[in-house]
Amino acid sequence: MSNRENTADLLRWGATELRAMGLDFPRLEAELLLANATGRSRHHLIVNPDEQPSYAAAAQYRRDVLRRAGHEPLAYITGQKEFMSLLLEVSPDVLVPRPDTETLVEQALAFLAGQAPPEDQGFQVADIGTGSGAIGLAIAHYCPDATVWAIDISPAAAAVARRNSRRHGLSARVNVLVGDLFDAHGLPDDLCFDLVVANLPYVPTRAFEALAPEIAVFEPRVALHGGKDGLDVIRRLVPQAASRLKGGGALGLECDPEQCTLLTELLGQAGLVGVTVSTDLAGRPRTVWGSKSGAVDQGGGSPRR
């Protein structure tokens, strides 16, 4: 290919390459990759098909198309992903934020909206296994009364979350810490939470090899693989979270649809009440919620099903 090829030529070539590899949206992804390489919007590319990108931009685009043809996630190639209308930096150190997880955030925000924030310090929210910071940052962005403690076992992932926090001007209310669940340096031992949310590793060993190569090959295994039944890390979190919740506080967990029944039992065994299962965008069971018994601020309630 030569530098004299215009936008239409490059998009045609890219879509052909991606289609040959069986990708679902070859033209769209070709447009996104060329937009990333040129710094132009997709709209600009579409309405200016005769424009000739610079040699450097065209060369980067060709490299990026071949990376995507090798099933590397688009978000890792462009270095960003939108989540709850927030544009986030992503890298191979973190999971790519997914639309299904937006359901967990929406339910968390609905729960907080039904509470009266404590007058002394506002809501205290823990986002355990924060990764890119997607869940915690979205909660902080849409709930100004929330202070978020975003914790991840990976220092590299925490660094990504900190950069995203600064990008969106949320550093004052989002504390990004490194640690194993609630055992994190900088987290006050006596701090209790109005809300704990987590999207922890939950892929069972038997299912890991069946994942799409975009996930199994490229995304961090530590953030995906949850042991034999997928619940190794979650099983450790539930009693810890129950002990750190305020009366009336809630715990929300993302999981595989087949794990919901077992998770419901785990939350009950930890003493949580009002345990419910909520569905994702496709109508599949995806999140499990439970509350700690005790006093709750006026207007409190469980997350919506």
Side-chain angles (χ1 to χ4, degrees):
M1 301 180 71
S2 73
N3 187 46
R4 297 190 59 82
E5 288 184 306
N6 60 27
T7 292
D9 295 328
L10 289 166
L11 288 176
R12 190 177 304 110
W13 172 81
T16 299
E17 291 290 316
L18 299 179
R19 186 177 297 108
M21 297 307 298
L23 300 185
D24 292 334
F25 306 102
R27 174 70 185 199
L28 172 61
E29 295 202 6
E31 292 171 358
L32 291 170
L33 289 171
L34 188 55
N36 181 66
T38 61
R40 302 288 197 178
S41 68
R42 284 181 59 220
H43 175 75
H44 179 92
L45 298 176
I46 293 169
V47 301
N48 293 280
D50 296 325
E51 185 172 272
Q52 294 183 345
S54 69
Y55 174 80
Q60 178 186 330
Y61 168 72
R62 291 193 291 269
R63 290 193 299 269
D64 290 348
V65 166
L66 295 178
R67 289 171 65 185
R68 183 68 187 107
H71 294 282
E72 184 173 350
L74 180 68
Y76 289 164
I77 298 171
T78 63
Q80 58 187 19
K81 177 72 173 181
E82 185 177 292
F83 181 84
M84 297 287 293
S85 298
L86 299 176
L87 191 61
L88 301 176
E89 173 192 337
V90 295
S91 78
D93 294 311
V94 301
L95 291 181
V96 177
R98 291 171 169 78
D100 281 342
T101 302
E102 293 189 1
T103 303
L104 180 69
V105 175
E106 291 168 352
Q107 293 162 350
L109 292 170
F111 172 78
L112 293 176
Q115 315 293 318
E119 295 181 1
D120 55 343
Q121 57 183 357
F123 296 119
Q124 296 295 315
V125 178
D127 172 20
I128 308 299
T130 193
S132 65
I135 294 173
L137 291 172
I139 290 173
H141 177 77
Y142 291 107
C143 181
D145 291 318
T147 294
V148 175
W149 300 80
I151 302 170
D152 202 282
I153 197 170
S154 164
V160 174
R162 288 193 190 97
R163 291 195 292 272
N164 281 323
S165 179
R166 291 193 295 269
R167 166 185 269 193
H168 293 286
L170 293 169
S171 298
R173 292 191 294 111
V174 178
N175 307 285
V176 181
L177 308 177
V178 176
D180 181 10
L181 305 182
F182 285 96
D183 184 13
H185 180 71
L187 182 68
D189 291 336
D190 59 350
L191 181 63
C192 289
F193 297 92
D194 301 279
L195 174 67
V196 176
V197 287
N199 179 16
L200 291 170
Y202 61 75
V203 179
T205 300
R206 70 180 185 280
F208 192 85
E209 298 301 328
L211 293 173
E214 283 87 345
I215 302 172
V217 176
F218 291 98
E219 297 201 54
R221 183 183 179 94
V222 68
L224 291 164
H225 185 221
K228 184 176 181 180
D229 66 356
L231 297 177
D232 283 1
V233 184
I234 295 175
R235 193 173 278 109
R236 292 196 296 116
L237 171 70
V238 170
Q240 291 186 33
S243 70
R244 297 294 290 256
L245 284 174
K246 298 178 182 178
L251 167 65
L253 302 168
E254 180 173 327
C255 63
D256 183 270
E258 295 183 0
Q259 297 165 335
C260 289
T261 299
L262 182 53
L263 263 185
T264 297
E265 296 173 0
L266 289 175
L267 267 62
Q269 292 168 5
L272 298 182
V273 298
V275 179
T276 60
V277 175
S278 297
T279 57
D280 61 19
L281 298 174
R284 298 167 300 189
R286 180 64 65 181
T287 60
V288 178
W289 290 86
S291 299
K292 188 167 185 175
S293 60
V296 63
D297 290 322
Q298 61 180 7
S302 298
R304 298 169 187 165
R305 288 181 181 270

Short mmCIF file of all heavy atoms in Angstrom, two decimals, residues 14 17-23 29 33 62-72 77 214 218:
data_model
loop_
_atom_site.label_atom_id
_atom_site.label_comp_id
_atom_site.label_asym_id
_atom_site.label_seq_id
_atom_site.Cartn_x
_atom_site.Cartn_y
_atom_site.Cartn_z
N GLY A 14 -8.89 -1.99 5.24
CA GLY A 14 -9.01 -2.41 6.63
C GLY A 14 -10.22 -3.27 6.89
O GLY A 14 -10.14 -4.30 7.58
N GLU A 17 -9.63 -6.77 5.57
CA GLU A 17 -8.74 -7.56 6.44
C GLU A 17 -9.48 -8.06 7.68
O GLU A 17 -9.34 -9.23 8.07
CB GLU A 17 -7.53 -6.70 6.86
CG GLU A 17 -6.57 -6.38 5.75
CD GLU A 17 -5.79 -7.59 5.29
OE1 GLU A 17 -5.33 -8.36 6.15
OE2 GLU A 17 -5.65 -7.77 4.06
N LEU A 18 -10.26 -7.21 8.28
CA LEU A 18 -10.95 -7.58 9.52
C LEU A 18 -12.09 -8.55 9.24
O LEU A 18 -12.36 -9.46 10.03
CB LEU A 18 -11.46 -6.32 10.22
CG LEU A 18 -10.37 -5.32 10.65
CD1 LEU A 18 -11.00 -4.10 11.32
CD2 LEU A 18 -9.36 -5.98 11.58
N ARG A 19 -12.76 -8.37 8.12
CA ARG A 19 -13.84 -9.28 7.76
C ARG A 19 -13.29 -10.69 7.51
O ARG A 19 -13.92 -11.69 7.88
CB ARG A 19 -14.57 -8.78 6.51
CG ARG A 19 -15.81 -9.59 6.14
CD ARG A 19 -16.53 -9.00 4.94
NE ARG A 19 -17.04 -7.66 5.24
CZ ARG A 19 -16.53 -6.53 4.74
NH1 ARG A 19 -15.49 -6.58 3.89
NH2 ARG A 19 -17.05 -5.37 5.04
N ALA A 20 -12.12 -10.75 6.92
CA ALA A 20 -11.50 -12.05 6.63
C ALA A 20 -11.19 -12.83 7.90
O ALA A 20 -11.11 -14.06 7.88
CB ALA A 20 -10.23 -11.86 5.80
N MET A 21 -11.02 -12.12 9.02
CA MET A 21 -10.72 -12.77 10.29
C MET A 21 -11.98 -13.05 11.09
O MET A 21 -11.93 -13.48 12.24
CB MET A 21 -9.76 -11.92 11.12
CG MET A 21 -8.41 -11.72 10.45
SD MET A 21 -7.64 -13.29 9.98
CE MET A 21 -7.43 -14.07 11.59
N GLY A 22 -13.16 -12.80 10.49
CA GLY A 22 -14.41 -13.16 11.13
C GLY A 22 -14.90 -12.18 12.18
O GLY A 22 -15.77 -12.53 12.99
N LEU A 23 -14.37 -10.96 12.21
CA LEU A 23 -14.83 -9.99 13.19
C LEU A 23 -16.23 -9.50 12.84
O LEU A 23 -16.60 -9.41 11.67
CB LEU A 23 -13.85 -8.82 13.28
CG LEU A 23 -12.41 -9.20 13.69
CD1 LEU A 23 -11.55 -7.95 13.86
CD2 LEU A 23 -12.42 -10.02 14.98
N GLU A 29 -14.97 -1.02 12.92
CA GLU A 29 -13.68 -1.07 13.59
C GLU A 29 -12.59 -0.45 12.72
O GLU A 29 -11.66 0.18 13.23
CB GLU A 29 -13.34 -2.51 13.98
CG GLU A 29 -14.30 -3.06 15.02
CD GLU A 29 -13.73 -4.21 15.81
OE1 GLU A 29 -12.54 -4.53 15.64
OE2 GLU A 29 -14.48 -4.79 16.62
N LEU A 33 -10.27 2.62 13.99
CA LEU A 33 -8.81 2.53 13.97
C LEU A 33 -8.21 3.66 13.14
O LEU A 33 -7.18 4.23 13.53
CB LEU A 33 -8.37 1.17 13.42
CG LEU A 33 -8.62 -0.02 14.34
CD1 LEU A 33 -8.36 -1.33 13.60
CD2 LEU A 33 -7.75 0.08 15.59
N ARG A 62 -2.25 0.82 9.35
CA ARG A 62 -2.04 -0.52 8.81
C ARG A 62 -1.53 -1.47 9.90
O ARG A 62 -1.96 -2.62 9.97
CB ARG A 62 -1.06 -0.45 7.63
CG ARG A 62 -1.65 0.23 6.41
CD ARG A 62 -0.79 0.01 5.18
NE ARG A 62 0.49 0.70 5.26
CZ ARG A 62 0.70 1.93 4.81
NH1 ARG A 62 -0.30 2.62 4.28
NH2 ARG A 62 1.89 2.47 4.89
N ARG A 63 -0.64 -0.99 10.73
CA ARG A 63 -0.16 -1.83 11.84
C ARG A 63 -1.31 -2.17 12.80
O ARG A 63 -1.42 -3.32 13.25
CB ARG A 63 0.96 -1.11 12.61
CG ARG A 63 2.27 -0.97 11.85
CD ARG A 63 3.39 -0.53 12.79
NE ARG A 63 3.13 0.77 13.40
CZ ARG A 63 3.52 1.93 12.86
NH1 ARG A 63 4.17 1.96 11.72
NH2 ARG A 63 3.26 3.07 13.49
N ASP A 64 -2.14 -1.18 13.08
CA ASP A 64 -3.23 -1.39 14.03
C ASP A 64 -4.28 -2.36 13.48
O ASP A 64 -4.85 -3.17 14.22
CB ASP A 64 -3.87 -0.05 14.39
CG ASP A 64 -2.97 0.82 15.25
OD1 ASP A 64 -1.94 0.30 15.74
OD2 ASP A 64 -3.29 2.01 15.41
N VAL A 65 -4.55 -2.28 12.19
CA VAL A 65 -5.50 -3.21 11.59
C VAL A 65 -4.99 -4.64 11.72
O VAL A 65 -5.75 -5.57 12.05
CB VAL A 65 -5.76 -2.86 10.11
CG1 VAL A 65 -6.46 -4.01 9.39
CG2 VAL A 65 -6.59 -1.59 10.00
N LEU A 66 -3.70 -4.84 11.49
CA LEU A 66 -3.14 -6.18 11.60
C LEU A 66 -3.16 -6.67 13.05
O LEU A 66 -3.36 -7.87 13.30
CB LEU A 66 -1.72 -6.21 11.03
CG LEU A 66 -1.64 -5.93 9.51
CD1 LEU A 66 -0.18 -5.92 9.06
CD2 LEU A 66 -2.45 -6.94 8.72
N ARG A 67 -2.97 -5.77 13.99
CA ARG A 67 -3.10 -6.16 15.40
C ARG A 67 -4.53 -6.60 15.70
O ARG A 67 -4.75 -7.62 16.35
CB ARG A 67 -2.72 -4.98 16.32
CG ARG A 67 -1.24 -4.65 16.35
CD ARG A 67 -0.98 -3.35 17.10
NE ARG A 67 -1.33 -3.44 18.51
CZ ARG A 67 -1.28 -2.39 19.35
NH1 ARG A 67 -0.92 -1.19 18.89
NH2 ARG A 67 -1.59 -2.55 20.61
N ARG A 68 -5.49 -5.83 15.21
CA ARG A 68 -6.89 -6.20 15.47
C ARG A 68 -7.25 -7.49 14.75
O ARG A 68 -8.02 -8.30 15.28
CB ARG A 68 -7.81 -5.06 15.02
CG ARG A 68 -9.27 -5.32 15.32
CD ARG A 68 -9.54 -5.31 16.81
NE ARG A 68 -10.91 -5.73 17.11
CZ ARG A 68 -11.23 -6.91 17.64
NH1 ARG A 68 -10.30 -7.81 17.94
NH2 ARG A 68 -12.49 -7.20 17.89
N ALA A 69 -6.69 -7.69 13.56
CA ALA A 69 -6.93 -8.94 12.84
C ALA A 69 -6.39 -10.14 13.61
O ALA A 69 -6.86 -11.26 13.45
CB ALA A 69 -6.30 -8.88 11.45
N GLY A 70 -5.41 -9.88 14.48
CA GLY A 70 -4.89 -10.93 15.36
C GLY A 70 -5.67 -11.05 16.65
O GLY A 70 -5.21 -11.70 17.60
N HIS A 71 -6.85 -10.40 16.70
CA HIS A 71 -7.80 -10.48 17.82
C HIS A 71 -7.37 -9.70 19.06
O HIS A 71 -7.94 -9.90 20.14
CB HIS A 71 -8.10 -11.94 18.19
CG HIS A 71 -8.83 -12.68 17.11
ND1 HIS A 71 -10.19 -12.54 16.88
CD2 HIS A 71 -8.39 -13.53 16.15
CE1 HIS A 71 -10.55 -13.28 15.86
NE2 HIS A 71 -9.48 -13.90 15.39
N GLU A 72 -6.40 -8.83 18.94
CA GLU A 72 -6.10 -7.94 20.06
C GLU A 72 -7.29 -7.01 20.24
O GLU A 72 -7.81 -6.45 19.26
CB GLU A 72 -4.83 -7.14 19.80
CG GLU A 72 -4.42 -6.26 20.97
CD GLU A 72 -3.07 -5.59 20.77
OE1 GLU A 72 -2.36 -5.95 19.81
OE2 GLU A 72 -2.72 -4.74 21.59
N ILE A 77 -5.67 -1.35 21.52
CA ILE A 77 -4.98 -0.72 20.39
C ILE A 77 -5.15 0.80 20.44
O ILE A 77 -4.18 1.55 20.25
CB ILE A 77 -5.51 -1.28 19.07
CG1 ILE A 77 -5.24 -2.79 18.99
CG2 ILE A 77 -4.85 -0.58 17.87
CD1 ILE A 77 -5.92 -3.48 17.82
N GLU A 214 -9.80 -12.63 22.23
CA GLU A 214 -9.65 -11.25 22.71
C GLU A 214 -9.56 -11.19 24.22
O GLU A 214 -8.87 -10.33 24.79
CB GLU A 214 -10.85 -10.40 22.24
CG GLU A 214 -10.80 -9.96 20.80
CD GLU A 214 -11.40 -10.97 19.85
OE1 GLU A 214 -11.60 -12.13 20.24
OE2 GLU A 214 -11.66 -10.59 18.69
N PHE A 218 -5.50 -11.91 25.64
CA PHE A 218 -5.00 -10.55 25.81
C PHE A 218 -5.35 -9.90 27.14
O PHE A 218 -4.60 -9.06 27.63
CB PHE A 218 -5.52 -9.66 24.66
CG PHE A 218 -4.91 -9.99 23.34
CD1 PHE A 218 -5.58 -10.81 22.44
CD2 PHE A 218 -3.66 -9.51 22.99
CE1 PHE A 218 -5.02 -11.12 21.20
CE2 PHE A 218 -3.09 -9.81 21.76
CZ PHE A 218 -3.76 -10.62 20.87
#
